[in-house]
Amino acid sequence: MLEPISVSMESLNLGTLTPMLVAIAGGLGILVIDLIRKDLDKTLYVMFSILILFVDLGAVFGQSVGERGFFDVILIDGIAILSQIVILVASMLFIPLALTSKRFHEFSYPEFFALFLFMVAGFQFMVASDNLILIFVGLETASLALYTLIALHNRINSFEAAIKYFVMGALAAGFYVMGAMIFYALTGSVELFKIAEVLEAGNFANMTILLVGIAFMIAALGFKLSMVPFHTWTPDVYEGASATLAGYMSIVPKIAGFVVAMRVFGFLIQSDVVWVRDILYAAVVITMTLANIMALVQHDVKRMLAFSSISHAGFVMAAIMIGTTQANSALFFYWIMFLFTNLGAFAMLWVSRHKAKLWDNRFDHPYEKFSGMIQIKPVGAVIMALFMLSLAGVPPFSLFWGKLYVMSAAVNSNFIVLALIMALNSAISVYYYLKLIVYMFLKDPTQNEGTVYAQNTSKPLQTIIGFSAFMTVFAFVAVDPILEIITAYVQASGF
Amino acid sequence: MDHILSVLVLFPAVAGLLGFIVSKESIRAYGLSVAAIEFLLSLWLWLSFDGSYPGFQFVEVLPLIPSFGINYYLGVDGISLFIVVLSTFITLVGLIALSVEKDLKNMIISLLFLEMTMVGVFVALDAIVFYVFWELSLVPMLYIIGAWGGNLRVYAAIKFFLYTFAGSLIMLVGMLVMAYLYHEATGVWSFSITEWHRLILPENYQFWLFIAFFIGLAIKVPMFPFHTWLPYAHGQAPTIGSVILAAVLLKMGTYGLVRLPLPMFPDASVYMIFPVAVLSLIMIIYTAMVAYAQEDMKQVIAYSSISHMGVIVLGTFAMNPEGIAGSVFFMLSHGIVSGALFMLVGVIYDRRHTKLMSEFGGLAHVMPRYGTIMGIMVMASVGLPLTMSFVGEFLSLAGFYQVSHTMTILAGTSIILGAVYMLSLYKKSFFGEVTKEENKNLKDLNGKESMALWTLVLVTVWLGVYPKPVLEPINTSVESLVSFMHKKAITKEAKDIIKPTVIKREAE
């Protein structure tokens, strides 16, 4: 006879799963509501989603650092909590952008919101585990939902973008699995902490095979974080997706990816496997610089922002490469500062979204569109300029503090050359941000109708933009409290 | 008033924000009254300033980001006091003479924001606060050059922005390294400039940090070979933009040299005297020659600005009280004189829409009042005794004479070359017969212009004849700065060169 295996509720520690379960239940709830009543409109779904995310956030705050649950595959450490908070807050801020004045039919499907919540749950799984398999499940759940969300934006471009993203994503998934397999083959475990233990105990024998595994991992995560040279999908996918989703994609999947990268590469960097650091160093520098140079030659603001967000991601990857507590805190800090600014910038594009292509055969937001905006919509132009200045790192706007902190983390760990490269990259990047400002402020308008820049506007959108502008300008007040919280969480999880 | 510095910094910013609501018709009056109040506030600051106390006064400290050692830390000493007064003064005078019609409201609001950043830079004692104002000053200036400038305005504006921004980012890395070293030495994070002064660093570190800070500051000065943005910026900027750029923004660079690298890295500064002096000499002589070759009046003054800034840098690196006090005084006089000269070119540009010297001739007959003021200012620019420039130039060169006789004599050619290009400018445009038909009926200065320009003439002559009220507080602070550097220097060489002697006041 087989011995019965008993599993007690306490050992499952289901509390650790609550946040994800809330999001999934919310998504199912939306589908059920749709089954019962067909005539409900998007405002209900948007607000419902926000409420679900709010409850989810509450559940995250309720968790305590250092817990494991569900057969120990869920790991709630400081960075898990922190990144879930960022993911949820960003999602809550992005979803109201669905409340546009123009009709975009993807937002009238309740499935959109259900998928959105499933995606959020996927990201939460991804960050709240150090089990390579669960990370994979989270990653794929989120990605599949995201592909569909992109394709729902009913345009040829969007289908193309979704398919491109899907194909690339599938390739990345393959790489991820290969990497995980090699780790498993080397150590007999899929749990990162055990992998670390075994590797350290064996004093990093089988270096060559480990290198192959890490190369696969870098490729897989490189796709998700759009590190150069795995970045080629990014601008096309951003271009095809609606501005809302493009903005969302530039922030949330990235932070989830950063957390995974931190967990995967963290122990390797801390154990002084020199070449991991070298590979990452090269990747970081190339990503920052090349994306910057590509952004210089773009004609479309959205594509420029896509390349700029690649460059920002490279900037932040440097924090993972440095690997100190300050650097890892700087990563979260930078991304929170980036969140508000990029949210605002993409929301501004979203507001000026026009169904007809008035300026260019291909692009929705060519630079010419914004010429002379200061004379037509002065407030809009000033706000957009604020976001651009912040992205460029002009003090005292939010992203300057992020850059300051990342660069200081680099300096403090003796990466002075890296800090100089970062400085030079900021200097290059200022050119393309300035280009938009030049168009808005220094050129004469090509049309006299102000409505062009506010085609899509509505009260909720204005609120979101106002909020991000406020955060961008007055970030310096919040720097200290945010840093304190972040550092506490990061320290608590030993990074 | 305990918070007079905060008021000085924030008043123009708040006024700028409120300016958006003011109607188009009354915006000029609004701008003028705000600038006048700001100027009166700065005069009050001067009156309540204790000239015999060498340290920082009216100090305000508020924790901004305590965990990182960033404080909202303001204060003035004799070195910064008068540059603050200069900033508010030039803004007021510039606004009086402002002749812009297009988008006047945006212009005035930009100027008010610019005024905030200028005052902010000169009173900030925390490196990050300094950096914030330093960078922020680029934004309104970008707009002023780019929106109201000449044909190549956008190119000039972007060039100006990119150059300064790139340079200051390197300075930012230097600041971060400095904070790190301070933390290593004391265990506390601090970005306070006064705290950094106390840090004694090994020569090697000093050298690299000096370079990082120097690049950021030198681009702003602008030192040769980073000077190429300036002729474009001046050439394309509207009159008010050139006035403020020459009078105040360039001073941020030279002020920064006195405030940051000199007391922070005395040994490296001494080590770098020769290279910096060579660069300054190139600036002085080469740009003076280029100035002579110009056909555009504004370009002559723009290049003469670079040349004079070279003398200021040279005086700063004399490392003795005469030189540094002289260069601080020269910053003020150059601010007033070059501001006035740019304003004068603006006057003629408003009437004829050209600045080419070949278009003029015999202007002194047509516009006698204009010719008089131009004459006085040309003399002042050349450094004639009894004008403010003489005091500054003389002291700067006298200071550097103690370091190197040959170099000082070479630098002295700036006076001769200055006379050559300025007088030839004056001769070509003001003397002789009125050859061009269009010039025969030009209107002389109007009330606004006269008022603005005569104020500048008065200050130039007053402080040229009697510089004591300004020079004395500067001296007090500079003397304490130099003796501090002398005490702090670690190498014998530096101790020998930094001479904390009491200044003899030849200029009186």
Side-chain angles (χ1 to χ4, degrees):
Chain A
M1 279 293 282
L2 289 170
E3 282 292 314
I5 304 169
S6 101
V7 175
S8 68
M9 274 315 265
E10 288 79 47
S11 75
L12 281 180
N13 199 359
L14 285 177
T16 54
L17 272 175
T18 329
M20 299 78 161
L21 293 181
V22 169
I24 292 172
L28 292 173
I30 287 180
L31 292 178
V32 170
I33 293 171
D34 176 53
L35 276 180
I36 301 166
R37 286 282 298 274
K38 284 281 176 204
D39 53 343
L40 299 168
D41 79 346
K42 62 184 175 188
T43 48
L44 171 91
Y45 294 124
V46 170
M47 292 309 146
F48 194 70
S49 310
I50 294 179
L51 287 177
I52 297 288
L53 292 171
F54 189 74
V55 176
D56 194 340
L57 193 62
V60 171
F61 275 118
Q63 289 175 327
S64 46
V65 175
E67 278 192 63
R68 283 186 168 272
F70 208 75
F71 303 106
D72 288 353
V73 293
I74 296 276
L75 165 66
I76 305 296
D77 57 358
I79 60 171
I81 294 181
L82 197 58
S83 49
Q84 288 191 65
I85 294 171
V86 177
I87 289 169
L88 291 170
V89 170
S91 305
M92 283 163 79
L93 289 172
F94 266 102
I95 195 73
L97 297 183
L99 297 172
T100 51
S101 68
K102 294 279 149 203
R103 288 174 168 278
F104 289 99
H105 77 267
E106 70 258 39
F107 300 130
S108 53
Y109 293 132
E111 286 86 352
F112 182 92
F113 301 95
L115 279 169
F116 187 80
L117 290 173
F118 293 149
M119 175 177 69
V120 171
F123 288 130
Q124 287 183 283
F125 272 119
M126 207 168 138
V127 297
S129 172
D130 69 343
N131 182 305
L132 287 174
I133 294 176
L134 192 67
I135 291 176
F136 185 64
V137 172
L139 184 76
E140 286 307 294
T141 314
S143 302
L144 282 169
L146 190 53
Y147 307 143
T148 324
L149 291 181
I150 294 170
L152 276 176
H153 193 55
N154 192 13
R155 294 192 320 166
I156 293 288
N157 271 353
S158 315
F159 300 148
E160 189 192 317
I163 291 170
K164 197 164 200 164
Y165 196 17
F166 177 68
V167 173
M168 293 296 194
L171 197 61
F175 283 155
Y176 181 91
V177 174
M178 288 295 285
M181 185 197 78
I182 291 173
F183 281 155
Y184 180 72
L186 278 176
T187 61
S189 173
V190 286
E191 311 251 353
L192 281 169
F193 77 99
K194 272 189 201 145
I195 295 177
E197 268 174 28
V198 175
L199 283 177
E200 266 158 36
N203 211 5
F204 295 93
N206 296 323
M207 207 50 136
T208 333
I209 306 174
L210 188 61
L211 176 66
V212 176
I214 287 168
F216 276 121
M217 274 298 175
I218 288 182
L221 293 172
F223 268 116
K224 288 292 161 196
L225 296 172
S226 48
M227 305 273 289
V228 175
F230 313 110
H231 69 290
T232 44
W233 57 272
T234 320
D236 296 338
V237 172
Y238 281 28
E239 194 189 330
S242 62
T244 351
L245 269 182
Y248 190 80
M249 273 159 49
S250 72
I251 292 163
V252 178
K254 296 273 164 69
I255 187 81
F258 287 137
V259 172
V260 175
M262 215 187 254
R263 289 191 200 284
V264 173
F265 300 124
F267 75 89
L268 290 165
I269 284 166
Q270 263 149 25
S271 59
D272 288 331
V273 185
V274 178
W275 45 263
V276 175
R277 185 167 265 179
D278 290 347
I279 295 172
L280 282 177
Y281 198 146
V284 162
V285 172
I286 293 171
T287 303
M288 263 193 291
T289 317
L290 216 65
N292 252 339
I293 291 168
M294 296 292 286
L296 285 177
V297 296
Q298 299 305 316
H299 299 291
D300 182 80
V301 176
K302 205 165 153 197
R303 278 181 79 87
M304 179 274 278
L305 284 175
F307 277 109
S308 102
S309 75
I310 298 177
S311 173
H312 284 286
F315 205 93
V316 166
M317 267 305 278
I320 294 179
M321 189 271 289
I322 296 164
T324 57
T325 305
Q326 195 202 358
N328 286 323
S329 318
L331 181 151
F332 285 100
F333 180 67
Y334 190 96
W335 219 244
I336 291 170
M337 294 287 137
F338 184 62
L339 157 67
F340 293 111
T341 307
N342 229 27
L343 164 77
F346 276 99
M348 284 301 290
L349 290 187
W350 189 227
V351 161
S352 68
R353 168 80 162 72
H354 211 275
K355 282 201 169 168
K357 299 198 178 220
L358 297 175
W359 296 270
D360 196 285
N361 294 330
R362 175 166 164 209
F363 300 129
D364 281 327
H365 310 283
Y367 281 106
E368 290 78 30
K369 174 177 175 180
F370 298 93
S371 345
M373 191 172 164
I374 181 73
Q375 293 170 37
I376 304 164
K377 275 248 173 253
V379 179
V382 168
I383 287 180
M384 190 73 172
L386 279 181
F387 294 139
M388 290 301 124
L389 290 174
S390 172
L391 284 173
V394 173
F397 306 118
S398 63
L399 216 51
F400 165 72
W401 304 104
K403 285 195 181 192
L404 182 74
Y405 209 62
V406 174
M407 277 160 74
S408 136
V411 166
N412 297 346
S413 332
N414 253 324
F415 283 97
I416 292 176
V417 176
L418 181 70
L420 279 173
I421 295 174
M422 287 170 163
L424 291 177
N425 267 299
S426 298
I428 300 173
S429 76
V430 82
Y431 182 79
Y432 52 80
Y433 297 122
L434 216 52
K435 198 164 149 193
L436 181 60
I437 296 181
V438 163
Y439 269 95
M440 288 192 302
F441 283 76
L442 309 181
K443 303 235 166 173
D444 287 324
T446 47
Q447 71 266 316
N448 301 319
E449 268 195 87
T451 50
V452 139
Y453 300 113
Q455 269 293 316
N456 211 2
T457 192
S458 64
K459 280 270 145 30
L461 264 68
Q462 284 168 352
T463 315
I464 296 290
I465 290 172
F467 174 73
S468 22
F470 179 83
M471 288 303 289
T472 304
V473 175
F474 293 101
F476 62 90
V477 183
V479 169
D480 209 49
I482 293 180
L483 266 179
E484 226 164 78
I485 296 168
I486 292 175
T487 314
Y489 274 127
V490 170
Q491 248 162 2
S493 44
F495 278 94
Chain B
M1 191 151 66
D2 287 344
H3 298 292
I4 182 158
L5 291 182
S6 288
V7 174
L8 265 173
V9 173
L10 294 177
F11 179 71
V14 173
L17 277 180
L18 295 179
F20 281 109
I21 306 163
V22 178
S23 75
K24 273 196 183 106
E25 292 72 33
S26 35
I27 191 76
R28 180 184 282 274
Y30 177 78
L32 273 176
S33 22
V34 170
I37 296 172
E38 177 80 357
F39 177 58
L40 289 177
L41 281 171
S42 68
L43 282 185
W44 186 11
L45 180 79
W46 182 3
L47 285 179
S48 23
F49 186 86
D50 176 3
S52 57
Y53 177 72
F56 289 99
Q57 305 180 29
F58 309 102
V59 171
E60 292 177 39
V61 188
L62 262 179
L64 201 62
I65 303 174
S67 59
F68 207 39
I70 299 173
N71 295 303
Y72 174 77
Y73 178 20
L74 309 179
V76 283
D77 63 354
I79 299 171
S80 48
L81 170 71
F82 295 104
I83 311 186
V84 171
V85 179
L86 173 76
S87 312
T88 60
F89 176 61
I90 288 289
T91 313
L92 176 63
V93 173
L95 269 170
I96 293 174
L98 188 65
S99 61
V100 166
E101 298 296 330
K102 189 186 101 181
D103 282 339
L104 184 64
K105 189 166 165 176
N106 290 350
M107 170 63 99
I108 285 178
I109 291 170
S110 315
L111 283 173
L112 293 177
F113 278 116
L114 191 59
E115 187 169 25
M116 166 196 78
T117 63
M118 296 187 301
V119 176
V121 165
F122 297 124
V123 300
L125 289 180
D126 183 283
I128 295 297
V129 177
F130 174 87
Y131 186 79
V132 167
F133 287 119
W134 172 280
E135 293 287 60
L136 216 49
S137 71
L138 300 178
V139 179
M141 202 58 201
L142 170 88
Y143 188 41
I144 289 175
I145 297 178
W148 288 274
N151 297 332
L152 284 173
R153 58 180 187 272
V154 173
Y155 174 77
I158 293 182
K159 190 163 182 167
F160 159 76
F161 196 104
L162 286 182
Y163 255 78
T164 342
F165 193 77
S168 46
L169 276 166
I170 294 173
M171 184 164 75
L172 180 67
V173 176
M175 286 176 177
L176 291 173
V177 175
M178 200 62 204
Y180 172 67
L181 292 174
Y182 187 85
H183 180 254
E184 288 291 284
T186 62
V188 189
W189 288 107
S190 174
F191 279 90
S192 144
I193 293 172
T194 48
E195 284 295 306
W196 284 2
H197 285 176
R198 291 170 48 216
L199 195 64
I200 297 176
L201 295 169
E203 287 161 81
N204 184 22
Y205 278 78
Q206 283 195 26
F207 176 74
W208 290 110
L209 284 166
F210 179 90
I211 298 280
F213 277 87
F214 186 74
I215 290 176
L217 299 166
I219 289 178
K220 197 88 165 190
V221 171
M223 293 287 287
F224 178 88
F226 309 115
H227 68 289
T228 55
W229 60 269
L230 185 83
Y232 278 99
H234 272 311
Q236 299 300 320
T239 304
I240 181 80
S242 300
V243 169
I244 292 199
L245 189 63
V248 187
L249 292 192
L250 300 188
K251 306 302 172 298
M252 288 183 181
T254 44
Y255 165 79
L257 284 174
V258 180
R259 179 67 78 222
L260 297 166
L262 251 57
M264 263 153 51
F265 322 117
D267 299 291
S269 305
V270 168
Y271 183 76
M272 293 296 283
I273 285 180
F274 183 70
V276 172
V278 169
L279 286 182
S280 310
L281 281 179
I282 298 176
M283 261 169 95
I284 293 167
I285 297 168
Y286 163 71
T287 49
M289 287 166 146
V290 178
Y292 181 67
Q294 298 302 309
E295 289 168 357
D296 184 312
M297 289 162 103
K298 209 171 174 186
Q299 291 294 346
V300 178
I301 300 164
Y303 279 105
S304 90
S305 258
I306 308 182
S307 179
H308 286 140
M309 292 304 282
V311 179
I312 296 180
V313 176
L314 204 64
T316 306
F317 276 81
M319 303 287 163
N320 49 36
E322 290 93 326
I324 298 178
S327 75
V328 173
F329 193 84
F330 200 14
M331 289 181 211
L332 304 175
S333 74
H334 180 258
I336 305 263
V337 173
S338 67
L341 285 170
F342 279 116
M343 228 176 253
L344 284 160
V345 177
V347 166
I348 198 76
Y349 183 74
D350 282 344
R351 288 165 175 63
R352 280 290 317 281
H353 294 282
T354 174
K355 299 168 294 196
L356 292 178
M357 284 181 272
S358 53
E359 287 288 317
F360 303 104
L363 279 178
H365 299 293
V366 193
M367 306 167 73
R369 274 176 282 163
Y370 178 65
T372 315
I373 296 182
M374 187 71 163
I376 299 172
M377 279 305 170
V378 162
M379 294 304 155
S381 166
V382 170
L384 209 69
L386 296 186
T387 63
M388 231 181 142
S389 309
F390 172 73
V391 182
E393 197 156 9
F394 180 82
L395 282 177
S396 302
L397 292 176
F400 203 76
Y401 193 71
Q402 300 173 29
V403 180
S404 160
H405 302 257
T406 335
M407 284 194 165
T408 313
I409 291 164
L410 280 174
T413 53
S414 83
I415 301 175
I416 303 163
L417 291 170
V420 172
Y421 59 75
M422 286 314 278
L423 290 177
S424 101
L425 179 145
Y426 198 68
K427 186 192 92 187
K428 282 183 201 160
S429 352
F430 285 81
F431 291 154
E433 293 301 310
V434 186
T435 43
K436 294 260 163 33
E437 198 56 40
E438 330 55 314
N439 292 343
K440 287 198 171 138
N441 294 316
L442 287 177
K443 282 201 195 82
D444 208 345
L445 297 179
N446 62 28
K448 279 190 310 188
E449 292 159 347
S450 297
M451 189 179 156
L453 288 165
W454 276 112
T455 327
L456 294 171
V457 170
L458 277 179
V459 174
T460 314
V461 176
W462 166 45
L463 290 177
V465 178
Y466 185 60
K468 196 177 164 211
V470 170
L471 205 48
E472 220 164 53
I474 295 180
N475 264 332
T476 317
S477 289
V478 167
E479 274 164 18
S480 95
L481 175 86
V482 175
S483 54
F484 175 81
M485 283 166 63
H486 180 76
K487 214 164 62 194
K488 187 181 162 185
I490 45 178
T491 57
K492 193 182 163 294
E493 196 192 356
K495 283 221 192 272
D496 287 347
I497 288 188
I498 302 173
K499 289 198 190 86
T501 47
V502 179
I503 191 163
K504 293 183 228 77
R505 297 199 180 86
E506 291 97 329
E508 280 180 30

